[in-house]
Amino acid sequence: MGTTKHLDFDQETNAIAEICKALGHPTRMQIMTLLWNKNNRTCGEIVSLIPLAQSTISKHLLELKKADLLNVKNVGKKTIYSIEVEKIQILKKYLTNYLSNKLLSKEAEIAILPPTPKIKKRDKLHLKDLNYQFPNKKNDSAQSNME
């Protein structure tokens, strides 16, 4: 078996990767959406809104908690889940920079998307310029005699 090459990326890159990994499941995305719409829900409330077993929802909540995307507060026998906004702000900042192309320098953009050369009409090649013979077409002299 080959070994996996391990690279040490900067702290922000690692943090974003952890967040994305935790969010990388539709159920976890749905949980986050529910909490975003109404924060501070119990596991029971989430289970009542997502048609999955309570044990499955609990596992997904644990994954989100491990990635520090959720705050967990115990109130009596109830466990209340809420979004850790600071982590979401990190993701928001990253995506905002990415989407506004601040991560790509102008040189990188040019390297990735080379400009398409514009073809002038007179530069276009015609098949007749390549001495291509059109077998079904009468030659020019025969056509001019017919006119």
Side-chain angles (χ1 to χ4, degrees), residues 40-84:
N40 299 306
R41 293 183 192 257
T42 64
C43 182
E45 283 179 77
I46 295 167
V47 170
S48 71
L49 295 162
I50 302 175
L52 291 170
Q54 189 268 328
S55 59
T56 304
I57 297 294
S58 289
K59 284 178 189 170
H60 286 299
L61 285 166
L62 182 62
E63 286 300 311
L64 292 167
K65 173 68 186 120
K66 280 198 284 188
D68 292 326
L69 286 166
L70 294 181
N71 291 312
V72 181
K73 188 169 57 178
N74 293 309
V75 179
K77 290 184 178 181
K78 288 184 178 180
T79 305
I80 313 282
Y81 296 91
S82 62
I83 289 178
E84 174 48 74

Side-chain angles (χ1 to χ4, degrees), residues 11-111:
Q11 199 173 348
E12 187 189 30
T13 302
N14 289 332
I16 296 298
E18 282 302 311
I19 293 168
C20 291
K21 185 179 175 184
L23 293 174
H25 191 285
T27 301
R28 293 196 284 271
M29 285 298 296
Q30 188 62 52
I31 291 169
M32 293 298 286
T33 302
L34 290 174
L35 289 170
W36 200 258
N37 291 336
K38 178 183 172 282
N39 218 0
N40 299 306
R41 293 183 192 257
T42 64
C43 182
E45 283 179 77
I46 295 167
V47 170
S48 71
L49 295 162
I50 302 175
L52 291 170
Q54 189 268 328
S55 59
T56 304
I57 297 294
S58 289
K59 284 178 189 170
H60 286 299
L61 285 166
L62 182 62
E63 286 300 311
L64 292 167
K65 173 68 186 120
K66 280 198 284 188
D68 292 326
L69 286 166
L70 294 181
N71 291 312
V72 181
K73 188 169 57 178
N74 293 309
V75 179
K77 290 184 178 181
K78 288 184 178 180
T79 305
I80 313 282
Y81 296 91
S82 62
I83 289 178
E84 174 48 74
V85 180
E86 195 178 305
K87 280 282 186 169
I88 300 302
Q89 291 295 347
I90 292 169
L91 183 61
K92 182 184 175 187
K93 180 185 164 200
Y94 175 81
L95 291 174
T96 303
N97 286 340
Y98 182 80
L99 294 172
S100 64
N101 289 324
K102 287 182 184 170
L103 293 182
L104 286 180
S105 65
K106 285 292 171 197
E107 294 81 25
E109 281 183 43
I110 291 165

Side-chain angles (χ1 to χ4, degrees), residues 87-141:
K87 280 282 186 169
I88 300 302
Q89 291 295 347
I90 292 169
L91 183 61
K92 182 184 175 187
K93 180 185 164 200
Y94 175 81
L95 291 174
T96 303
N97 286 340
Y98 182 80
L99 294 172
S100 64
N101 289 324
K102 287 182 184 170
L103 293 182
L104 286 180
S105 65
K106 285 292 171 197
E107 294 81 25
E109 281 183 43
I110 291 165
I112 293 165
L113 297 170
T116 0
K118 291 189 176 179
I119 300 171
K120 296 174 190 158
K121 273 193 175 181
R122 65 173 177 261
D123 292 343
K124 285 186 181 171
L125 284 176
H126 295 281
L127 291 176
K128 67 181 179 186
D129 296 337
L130 301 172
N131 285 328
Y132 184 84
Q133 300 300 311
F134 294 90
N136 297 331
K137 189 176 178 188
K138 294 176 184 163
N139 65 28
D140 288 342
S141 59

Side-chain angles (χ1 to χ4, degrees), residues 1-12:
M1 268 198 316
T3 57
T4 305
K5 188 175 182 179
H6 180 76
L7 295 174
D8 285 325
F9 292 104
D10 63 90
Q11 199 173 348
E12 187 189 30

